[in-house]
Amino acid sequence: MTHLPPPAEELRLIDAELWQLDARRAQLLARRAWLVAHLPAPSAPAPFAAPALPPRPEAGAPRVQNVLLLLGGLLLTIAAIAFTLVSWGHLGIAGRSVVLGAVTVAALAAPLPLLARALRSTAEAVAGLALALTVLDAYALHAAALPGADGTAYAAVAAAVLAVVWTAYGWLPGTAGLRLPRPAALAAAQLPLLLWAVAAGAGPSWISAALLVTAACDTVSALRAPAGPVRVAAAVGAYGTGAWGVLVAVGLSWTAGGPAAGARAAALLLGAAGVALAAAWRDRAEARAAGLSGVAGLLAVVALGGVARPALPAAWTVPVHLAVGIALLAAVRAGRLPGSVRRGFLAASAVVHGVAVLGALPLVALTLMGPAGWVTRVWSGAPGGAREAVTAGAPWPPYSETGPLVLAAVAAVVVLAVREATWRPRALTGARVLAGAALVAVPVVLDAPYPVALLVEGAVAAGLLAAAARSRTASAVLAQAVPALVVSVSLVLLALPSRPATLGVLAALTALFAAGSVNRRLAPVTAPAALAHAAALACAVGAAAGWAPRHTALLVLVVPALAALLAARIADVPTTVAVEATGAACALLAVGLAVTSPPMLALVLSLCAVIAAGTAVRADRRPAAWVATALFALAAWVRLAAWDVTAPEAYTLPVTVPALVLGALRRRRDADVSSWGAYGPGLAATLVPSLLAAWADAHATRPWLLGAAALVITLLGARHRLQAPLLLGGGVLVLDALHELAPYLAQVADALPRWVPPALAGLVLLAVGATYERRLRDVRRVREVLGRMN
C-alpha cells in the first residue's frame, strides 16, 4: 500500500518544492535578461515581398500536344491533297501508284509502333492522316484508272469500301486501341445507300428509304456499341440521316395526290416510327426514351393521317390527323406500355391536339374580332347572314369549315382523358372555353341567319358567366369570366349594323353582367363590364333619339353617378377600385362628348365635380375633394370662356375673397390644415383665369396689375412660409413676365445669328455640368424650406 505522511508533514514538503521552483524561475529570468542586453541590435525587418511566381500557363501540356498533333496532321493532309491534285500529272502510272501506295501503307502501319511505345495521341494523328490518304487513293484511282465511271456510283462504292476497310483497320489487334477509325467508318457508311439511290435516278421515296435504312443501321450500332466515340458517332448519324429522311417522307405525305402515294409515304413514316419506338423500348435513359416515343407517336399520326387525307376534302386534313391522335391516346390508356413510352405517346397526342386547336384559332379570331369592321358603318342595315356579319369585308380563312368540330372534339377529349384530381378542375375549365369557342363559330361556318349568330354569342357569354359563378378557384373564375367579356364585346360589335340589335344587345349585356355582379368572385370583372355596357347603351340611346353628342353626355353621366353610389356600398376592395376606375373612364367619355360645346362642357364638368364631391364624403376617399375642387374651378373657367367674358376678375374675385376668408378662419381653428387646402382654391380661382386673359390681352394694364398682385401674393407666402401662395404667386408672376418679354425676346432671336442659340445651349450645359453638385445641394435646401412651410 502507498505510504501517506501526516497532513502537516505533507504540507511542509509541498512548500519546500514550491520554493525550489520559484528560485529556479528567478535564475532563468535573470539569465534571459543578461542575454537580451548583450545581443547586437537587430536590423529593421525587410518589407514583406511576395515570392515571384512563374507565370501561369494558359494551356496545359496535353492540350498543347493535341493542338500540335492536330495541326501537323492537317498540314500533312493538305500537302497530300495538293500533291494529288497538282503534282499528279508529273508522274506516270507506276510512279503514282508507288508513291501513294507507299505513303498510305506507311501511314497505316505507323500507329502500330507508336501504340507499342504508349504514344497514343501521335498514333491517333497519324491514323487520321492515313484515313485521309485512303480517300485520296480512291480519288486517284478514279482519276487515273476509271475516268469514265459514273462519279456518283463510284463515290457510293468507294464510300462502302472505305467504311469496310476502316472498320477492319479499327478491329486489328495492333490498332484496336485507336478511337478514330471506327467512328470514321460509321461516317463513311452514311453515304453509300444515298449515293446509290441518287446514281440510279431514284425518286424522293427511294431517297427517303435509303436515308431511313441508314438511320436504322446507325440506331442498331448505337444500341449495341459500348459508351464511347462509336456510340456518339452512331447516334449523330441516326439523328441526322433519320431527320433528313423523315422530312422527305413528311413532304411526300402532305403532297400525296392519291391513296397510293399516301400509302408509300405512310410506309416510310411507320418504318421510322418503328425504329424510334424500338430504340425507346431498349433505351434505359427515361428522358431520351420518352422523347423517342413521342417522335414515334407523331410519325404514326402523320403517316396514318396522310393515308386518308388524299381521299377527303382539304378542310378535313386537321380532323383526320386529330382522330389519329385521339386513337393514339386511347391506345395508350388501354395498353400496358413502359412508363417512358407511355409518357412519350401522351406528349405526342397532346402536341397533336394543340396543333389542331391552333389550326382552328384563325376562325375563332375572325368570329370574335371580324365584326369590328362595322364600326365605320354603324346602323347601315342588318347583313344577310352570319358569315357576312362576321367578315365585314375581311377575307375568309381557307379550309376552316371544320374548326368547330375540332374544338368540340378536343374539349371532349380533355373532359374524358384528364381524371387526376389536381388537374380535373383545370381541364373542365379549358373544356368549357373550347366548347364556347366552338359554339360561337358554328353559325358562321353554317352561314346561319344574322339573329341566330347574335343569340348564340349571347348564350355563350351567359354560359361562361354561369360556369365561372360555379367555379371554386379564382383562376378558374378569371379563365371563364374573361372569355365571357371578350365574347360580349364581340357581340356588341356584331350588333352594330342594326339599330334594334344594338340597343337590345347592350341592354341585355348590361343586365347580364349586373346580375353576375351579385357573385362576389365575379364582381371585379362583371361590375365594370356592366357599367361599360351601360355607358355604351346611353350613347346608343342618345344617338337613336337623334340627340347631339353634347346632350348625350348628360345621359352618359348617369353611369359615373351610379358607379359612385355602388362603390360606397361594395365592401370588396378590388371591386371598388374597378368600379371607380370605370366610372372615371365614363366621366371622361362624357367630357369628350361635350367638348365641342363650351356651355354644355361647363355643365358636365360641374356634374362631374358633384359626383367627386359625393365620393369625397367617404372617409377613405377624402382626396377626391381635390378633384371636385379642380373640376368646379375648371367648370367656372369654361363657363366664363363660353360667355366671352373679357374681365373674368369681376366673376372670380367675389369667389376668391370669401374663399380666402374662410381659409384663414379654418387655419386659425385648425393649425394642421395646409395652405393648399385653405388658400389654394381661392387663389387659383382668380389667378388662373386672369393669367389666361392676360396672355390674350393686347394691352398692358391687366398684365401689370396681375404681375403686381402675383408679386404681393408671393411675398406674403414667403413672409408667412406658406407653400400655396408662394408657388401659385411665383408661377403666375413668371408666366406673366414671360408674356411681357415675349415680343422683345422674339426680336432678339431674329437679330441673333443662327449659331448663337446652339453656342448658348452648349455654354449652359457646360455651366450646369460644372456646378451640378452645388445645384443639387441648393435644390435640397429649397425642398427642405418648402417642406417646413405649411
Side-chain angles (χ1 to χ4, degrees):
M1 296 179 65
T2 304
H3 172 69
L4 296 175
E9 181 66 20
E10 185 178 2
L11 181 60
R12 186 185 65 79
L13 294 174
I14 290 175
D15 289 340
E17 188 69 26
L18 288 175
W19 181 85
Q20 291 179 2
L21 290 175
D22 290 339
R24 181 59 177 166
R25 184 174 184 276
Q27 181 182 1
L28 292 175
L29 289 175
R31 180 62 178 171
R32 181 183 180 280
W34 185 87
L35 290 174
V36 170
H38 289 77
L39 285 177
S43 58
F48 175 78
L53 297 176
R56 183 179 179 181
E58 296 181 357
R63 182 176 297 178
V64 173
Q65 164 194 298
N66 293 334
V67 171
L68 293 177
L69 292 175
L70 178 62
L71 291 176
L74 289 176
L75 290 176
L76 289 175
T77 303
I78 293 172
I81 293 173
F83 172 76
T84 304
L85 297 179
V86 179
S87 301
W88 184 254
H90 300 288
L91 299 176
I93 296 178
R96 303 170 190 173
S97 303
V98 170
V99 171
L100 276 181
V103 173
T104 303
V105 171
L108 291 173
L112 299 176
L114 294 174
L115 290 174
R117 298 183 178 223
L119 299 176
R120 180 178 299 274
S121 298
T122 306
E124 294 285 354
V126 176
L129 174 63
L131 299 182
L133 288 175
T134 56
V135 176
L136 292 176
D137 287 338
Y139 168 76
L141 180 62
H142 178 267
L146 302 171
D150 181 68
T152 305
Y154 179 82
V157 175
V161 173
L162 288 176
V164 173
V165 170
W166 291 351
T167 302
Y169 181 71
W171 284 108
L172 291 176
T175 59
L178 294 174
R179 292 177 293 181
L180 184 59
R182 279 172 285 176
L186 279 172
Q190 309 302 310
L191 300 176
L193 290 179
L194 176 61
L195 293 177
W196 278 333
V198 174
S205 298
W206 286 103
I207 292 177
S208 176
L211 290 170
L212 293 177
V213 169
T214 304
C217 297
D218 292 333
T219 303
V220 173
S221 301
L223 293 175
R224 298 178 61 89
V230 177
R231 177 181 291 183
V232 173
V236 171
Y239 286 122
T241 56
W244 192 2
V246 164
L247 288 177
V248 175
V250 169
L252 293 173
S253 177
W254 279 96
T255 57
R264 287 194 297 269
L268 295 173
L269 292 173
L270 289 176
V275 173
L277 183 59
W281 207 287
R282 295 193 55 181
D283 201 329
R284 297 181 179 179
E286 294 289 333
R288 191 164 54 243
L292 290 172
S293 302
V295 171
L298 291 176
L299 292 178
V301 170
V302 175
L304 297 178
V307 173
R309 185 193 59 79
L312 297 173
W316 287 89
T317 299
V318 175
V320 165
H321 287 81
L322 178 61
V324 180
I326 296 173
L328 177 64
L329 180 61
V332 171
R333 296 181 63 87
R336 295 182 178 180
L337 300 173
S340 58
V341 177
R342 184 185 184 122
R343 287 193 296 272
F345 281 173
L346 290 176
S349 181
V351 169
V352 173
H353 285 73
V355 172
V357 171
L358 290 177
L361 284 184
L363 175 63
V364 177
L366 177 66
T367 303
L368 295 178
M369 305 308 299
W374 294 105
V375 172
T376 58
R377 294 177 287 168
V378 176
W379 297 348
S380 58
R387 185 170 297 188
E388 181 185 352
V390 165
T391 55
W396 175 259
Y399 314 127
S400 59
E401 291 80 5
T402 56
L405 177 62
V406 169
L407 294 173
V410 174
V413 170
V414 169
V415 172
L416 296 175
V418 181
R419 296 292 183 180
E420 189 179 357
T422 304
W423 289 93
R424 181 68 177 173
R426 304 175 186 177
L428 293 177
T429 301
R432 294 189 191 103
V433 175
L434 290 173
L439 287 175
V440 166
V442 166
V444 181
V445 172
L446 299 179
D447 198 11
Y450 175 63
V452 174
L454 294 175
L455 291 176
V456 169
E457 287 204 5
V460 170
L464 289 175
L465 277 183
R470 292 193 302 268
S471 300
R472 298 181 179 179
T473 61
S475 59
V477 170
L478 286 177
Q480 296 169 102
V482 172
L485 182 60
V486 173
V487 173
S488 70
V489 174
S490 174
L491 179 57
V492 172
L493 297 175
L494 188 64
L496 290 179
S498 172
R499 178 182 300 178
T502 302
L503 297 175
V505 164
L506 287 174
L509 290 177
T510 302
L512 175 65
F513 283 98
S517 302
V518 177
N519 190 314
R520 184 175 180 181
R521 288 175 298 180
L522 282 178
V525 176
T526 55
L531 293 174
H533 288 305
L537 178 60
C539 294
V541 168
W547 295 354
R550 60 180 181 273
H551 299 136
T552 306
L554 297 176
L555 187 58
V556 173
L557 279 180
V558 176
V559 178
L562 182 61
L565 294 175
L566 291 175
R569 296 178 175 272
I570 298 174
D572 186 44
V573 175
T575 306
T576 302
V577 174
V579 167
E580 290 177 343
T582 307
C586 294
L588 289 177
L589 174 62
V591 171
L593 291 174
V595 73
T596 56
S597 175
M600 187 59 68
L601 178 60
L603 177 60
V604 170
L605 291 173
S606 300
L607 294 176
C608 291
V610 172
I611 297 173
T615 303
V617 174
R618 297 162 50 192
D620 57 340
R621 292 294 185 267
R622 297 298 189 205
W626 295 97
V627 179
T629 303
L631 289 174
F632 275 126
L634 186 58
W637 299 339
V638 172
R639 173 54 64 182
L640 293 176
W643 285 340
D644 294 329
V645 173
T646 58
E649 294 82 5
Y651 300 90
T652 58
L653 284 176
V655 177
T656 296
V657 174
L660 294 178
V661 172
L662 292 176
L665 294 176
R666 186 182 178 189
R667 277 185 54 81
R668 182 175 297 179
R669 294 178 181 178
D670 187 3
D672 294 333
V673 176
S674 67
S675 61
W676 289 104
Y679 306 120
L683 292 174
T686 294
L687 289 178
V688 175
S690 297
L691 179 63
L692 296 177
W695 272 78
D697 196 347
H699 303 286
T701 304
R702 176 179 282 111
W704 280 100
L705 293 176
L706 177 62
L711 178 61
V712 172
I713 293 172
T714 304
L715 294 177
L716 288 175
R719 172 67 178 82
H720 296 285
R721 304 175 67 84
L722 300 175
Q723 281 188 6
L726 179 63
L727 295 182
L728 286 175
V732 172
L733 181 61
V734 170
L735 294 176
D736 186 68
L738 288 177
H739 172 263
E740 292 302 306
L741 293 176
Y744 303 101
L745 293 176
Q747 294 177 3
V748 172
D750 292 337
L752 289 177
R754 293 182 179 271
W755 58 267
V756 173
L760 293 176
L763 292 176
V764 170
L765 291 177
L766 289 177
V768 172
T771 58
Y772 186 72
E773 184 176 2
R774 187 180 64 185
R775 300 306 181 195
L776 286 178
R777 182 187 60 193
D778 296 340
V779 169
R780 294 191 191 98
R781 290 179 178 176
V782 172
R783 185 179 61 187
E784 292 173 359
V785 171
L786 291 175
R788 288 194 295 269
M789 292 182 180
N790 193 350

